[in-house]
Amino acid sequence: MKFIRAIGFCRCCGENVVILRRAPLHGLHLLLSGLTAGLWVAFWLRSTRQSRAWRCFNHKLVFQGLVYYMPTGSLLH
C-alpha cells in the first residue's frame, strides 16, 4: 500500500508532524477495468474522489506498537 506524505499540524501532538494518507492504487483499478470491459471505471472514479483522511505518522507508529513517542521537530528544518 502506498502513502502520500506531507507536513501538517496534529492536534494530539500539538506540533507540525509528518502526516500520511493512503494513495489510490491506479494500476489495480486499470487492470480491473480491463478485465470487466470497463464496468469497474465507475468504482475507480468513486474511489479516486472519495476523501481519504490524513493520519499523524507518530500516532501510526504508536498504534502499531513500534515506538512510544517520536519527536518530529527536526523534520521541519
Side-chain angles (χ1 to χ4, degrees):
M1 184 179 307
K2 293 184 179 185
F3 289 95
I4 300 170
R5 299 174 74 134
I7 301 290
F9 184 78
C10 175
R11 287 185 231 155
C12 296
C13 296
E15 62 182 334
N16 286 331
V17 295
V18 175
I19 53 176
L20 303 171
R21 104 176 158 179
R22 289 185 315 152
L25 301 173
H26 293 298
L28 175 64
H29 289 292
L30 180 63
L31 176 68
L32 290 172
S33 295
L35 292 174
T36 61
L39 295 174
W40 190 260
V41 172
F43 295 101
W44 186 1
L45 290 174
R46 189 182 78 192
S47 73
T48 302
R49 292 174 185 242
Q50 189 177 37
S51 66
R52 290 170 170 43
W54 288 96
R55 302 278 185 233
C56 174
F57 184 68
N58 289 342
H59 289 99
K60 180 175 174 49
L61 293 176
V62 170
F63 291 140
Q64 290 177 350
L66 299 176
V67 296
Y68 291 109
Y69 176 75
M70 184 178 71
T72 57
S74 63
L75 294 174
L76 302 174
H77 300 290

